[in-house]
Amino acid sequence: MPAAPQKRSSPSYEELDPQIEALVNEVIERVADKWTMLVLEVLDVQGKLRFTRISEAIPGISQKMLTQTLRQMERDGLVKRTVYPVVPPHVEYELTEIGRSLGEAFCGVWLWAEKNLKKIEKSRAKFDQRAAVRFG
Amino acid sequence: MPAAPQKRSSPSYEELDPQIEALVNEVIERVADKWTMLVLEVLDVQGKLRFTRISEAIPGISQKMLTQTLRQMERDGLVKRTVYPVVPPHVEYELTEIGRSLGEAFCGVWLWAEKNLKKIEKSRAKFDQRAAVRFG
DNA sequence: CTGCATCCGAAATGATACTG
DNA sequence: CAGTATCATTTCGGATGCAG
């Protein structure tokens, strides 16, 4: 998509080839996943952890989703998986360098969410109220 | 939801009540949505736009998803919707102050993705190769 | 032009049972 | 303990038709 070259009043993201941009979008979609972010935070905060510890730290997650998420993160190089060949199995997960840097990058969003939580809730309440009025 | 208060050993993002944290997570999940981010970027770059313009700027999106996304963003106070009572209808969308600040917050993630794209692809290739070997 | 309602198939996720 | 496999369910998303 040749997207007519456009002036950006305030270049906040950078100009990119459409192709690169698509790839970046894809990466972000993957990484901005709900569980991925929670796992990221847990590992960032608590360091090296076993499978069960992580699942305990993330209340709603199923073992299926945790496995899946950890695999993806491992594949993307965000997480390092260490298996100790003992019985019963002992597996540890920890963030890699890239993983930690992603944590930092997300920090901005985290802070934003924290900071704007009240405003958002207020906005929602207002919106819902207006909607309710409309339908009597 | 009384959610048993939990101890956190080493807070990296800020110590938060589990309740606040849950809300923050919820906000992030909402906001980290695929279409939301694309709409966010388009409006950030191009400013005030009509419905059809936005849909043109985001190749894969269906009208349903665009409507849905814009509604959510409006509800969260990220987007301002202006209706000109003319016929045919004329509706314009633009980011609010909060919306723009979210754009900035996400900028870090965007840059991260751009910067680490290569590493991620390399990591994936390696991972997939190992997996392939495992299964002959 | 904008956008809501509905139907339908596809994909994501959860619950459960089982294995090394 | 750390998964895999399977099945049931929910959710998502696209297509279509209609309305203000």
Side-chain angles (χ1 to χ4, degrees), chain A residues 50 52 71 81 89 93:
Chain A
R50 301 182 63 165
T52 305
R71 281 295 167 286
R81 177 170 177 265
Y93 295 91

Side-chain angles (χ1 to χ4, degrees), chain A residues 24-43:
Chain A
V24 170
N25 284 342
E26 190 244 322
V27 168
I28 290 189
E29 280 170 36
R30 149 69 44 80
V31 132
D33 171 72
K34 170 185 180 175
W35 299 125
T36 300
M37 289 196 303
L38 295 176
V39 170
L40 187 72
E41 197 201 0
V42 168
L43 289 181

Side-chain angles (χ1 to χ4, degrees), chain A residues 58-82:
Chain A
I58 306 179
I61 201 169
S62 66
Q63 81 288 42
K64 179 182 179 179
M65 282 302 104
L66 181 53
T67 298
Q68 199 173 104
T69 302
L70 286 169
R71 281 295 167 286
Q72 287 180 345
M73 294 177 76
E74 189 192 357
R75 186 171 109 100
D76 288 346
L78 268 34
V79 158
K80 181 173 171 230
R81 177 170 177 265
T82 310

Side-chain angles (χ1 to χ4, degrees), chain B residues 91-109:
Chain B
V91 182
E92 288 186 337
Y93 297 90
E94 61 184 320
L95 291 187
T96 61
E97 179 59 33
I98 311 184
R100 277 190 299 275
S101 69
L102 175 59
E104 283 176 39
F106 256 118
C107 192
V109 182

Side-chain angles (χ1 to χ4, degrees), chain A residues 9-10 12-13 112 116, chain B residues 40-41 43-45 47-48 73 77-80 93-107:
Chain A
S9 40
S10 56
S12 64
Y13 289 126
W112 176 90
N116 295 98
Chain B
L40 186 71
E41 197 200 359
L43 289 180
D44 194 32
V45 171
K48 193 181 291 185
M73 293 177 76
L78 267 34
V79 158
K80 181 173 169 230
Y93 297 90
E94 61 184 320
L95 291 187
T96 61
E97 179 59 33
I98 311 184
R100 277 190 299 275
S101 69
L102 175 59
E104 283 176 39
F106 256 118
C107 192

Side-chain angles (χ1 to χ4, degrees), chain B residues 111-126:
Chain B
L111 293 175
W112 176 91
E114 192 187 340
K115 185 179 170 189
N116 296 97
L117 196 53
K118 288 273 168 50
K119 289 182 191 169
I120 292 173
E121 291 187 327
K122 220 184 266 184
S123 176
R124 286 182 185 175
K126 224 180 190 172

